Amino acid sequence: MTTLGAVFLPYLPPERLQPIVRAADASGLEELWLWEDCFRESGIAAAAAALAWSTRMRVGVGLMPVPLRNVALTAMEVATLERMFPGRVRIGVGHGVQDWMGQVGARVESPVTLLREYVTALKALLSGETVTTEGRYIKLRDVTLDWPPAAAPEILAGAIGPKSMRAVGEVADSAIITAGNSPSALLGHRKLLDEGSTAAGRPPVPVVVYLHAATGPGAAERMERERTTWGYESIVDRSVVGDAHAVAAAVRNLADAGADTVVLQPTPDDPDPEGFVRFVAHEVRPLVPAG
């Protein structure tokens, strides 16, 4: 019952994307996820290329920082991708790293308010509605997409704090949870998301969770460097190191805690990114109940 994916990390140069996309698509990987981290690579440009280079897999972008992007522009870009590659686009938005938003003069006083207004407007535009709104941050006057998608794609949103989690449950179609969360932590996040959904009179939102993963020679050493980079006191239950059986067990634990999609996040210094996506598709996938 679990969808399985992998991340193309933006620590790799953009020209490394094509061979990894081709390896992922040929191997049968369900989803390849991209990040729009400042100041590395564009989520939309990379997603368009990945979709064009592949034939069947879905491509996710998680997350695009909403303070950096006018909502009408994002709606135009998402609609274009969905019309060209229907059913293969998964777009996630979020607050963005606040220090980065400050660097570009886009930091806002209330990220939760912005996210709520942004997701609401974005979903309406992608549904083909004419949108007029005068919110605290989102201001639109009679805006209608000329080329809305035939069916509006889901809009995912990510968050970390309790207020943001509840807001995601209120307005987003699915939630994205960052790597470094144990199954018990995920249960807590799931509760907050459900509180938001219940308050809005909506059903619970599906959850996408990233999972730090390393396999092959030097995997433990690479994961220890990840622990240091992310500032974790312990990597126990926050990541998985080992063969396909170990990785699949960690995926199943997250699924039991409420994850609908688990996206395996390799270490930035993984020596074989193409091999990693093949590993996920060929070795881990058969050991996890399919979505």
Side-chain angles (χ1 to χ4, degrees):
M1 303 295 290
T2 306
T3 300
L4 199 60
V7 182
F8 170 85
L9 294 171
Y11 308 112
L12 297 173
E15 58 269 22
R16 289 288 285 115
L17 179 60
Q18 184 177 25
I20 294 170
V21 166
R22 295 202 183 281
D25 196 51
S27 69
L29 186 73
E30 293 156 88
E31 297 184 352
L32 185 70
W33 283 77
L34 312 168
W35 294 355
E36 190 166 78
D37 274 7
C38 298
F39 299 96
R40 296 184 176 101
E41 294 161 11
S42 158
I44 293 294
L51 288 160
W53 289 328
S54 58
T55 59
R56 42 148 305 280
M57 73 178 182
R58 293 183 294 274
V59 175
V61 182
L63 299 165
M64 298 194 300
V66 298
L68 200 60
R69 300 178 136 272
N70 183 281
V71 68
L73 176 61
T74 299
M76 291 160 57
E77 291 178 322
V78 174
T80 300
L81 287 180
E82 180 62 27
R83 288 185 69 108
M84 292 193 296
F85 307 100
R88 294 178 55 206
V89 181
R90 301 193 78 184
I91 297 295
V93 297
H95 299 315
V97 175
Q98 294 305 293
D99 286 347
W100 290 341
M101 298 304 98
Q103 279 183 270
V104 297
R107 188 165 183 167
V108 298
E109 185 177 357
S110 178
V112 174
T113 299
L114 171 58
L115 186 65
R116 186 181 285 112
E117 292 180 357
Y118 196 102
V119 172
T120 301
L122 181 58
K123 289 172 62 177
L125 288 167
L126 290 170
S127 295
E129 299 178 22
T130 297
V131 179
T132 295
T133 183
E134 187 71 21
R136 180 173 178 181
Y137 298 108
I138 302 300
K139 304 178 189 299
L140 301 172
R141 186 175 69 251
D142 296 330
V143 178
T144 313
L145 295 181
D146 281 9
W147 298 105
E154 65 171 338
I155 295 299
L156 302 89
I160 296 175
K163 290 183 180 179
S164 297
M165 286 284 178
R166 292 188 184 96
V168 169
E170 289 175 27
V171 298
D173 297 313
S174 294
I176 299 177
I177 308 296
T178 60
N181 281 282
S182 66
S184 60
L186 178 57
L187 284 170
H189 295 324
R190 173 82 266 179
K191 181 177 183 293
L192 292 168
L193 291 167
D194 290 348
E195 287 175 5
S197 299
T198 299
R202 308 172 66 222
V205 297
V207 175
V208 177
V209 180
Y210 292 115
L211 171 62
H212 293 294
T215 190
E221 291 79 7
R222 286 186 277 117
M223 191 57 71
E224 174 59 20
R225 288 193 287 272
E226 278 287 82
R227 184 195 68 77
T228 302
T229 296
W230 291 94
Y232 303 141
E233 290 185 7
S234 171
I235 206 71
V236 175
D237 288 337
R238 293 176 180 263
S239 70
V240 59
V241 173
D243 62 10
H245 289 277
V247 175
V251 171
R252 292 194 297 267
N253 287 340
L254 287 173
D256 290 343
D260 299 279
T261 299
V262 178
V263 183
L264 298 177
Q265 180 178 320
T267 61
D269 54 353
D270 189 296
D272 183 10
E274 289 88 349
F276 184 83
V277 297
R278 295 188 189 100
F279 166 75
V280 176
H282 289 163
E283 299 185 44
V284 181
R285 172 77 279 174
L287 302 176
V288 177

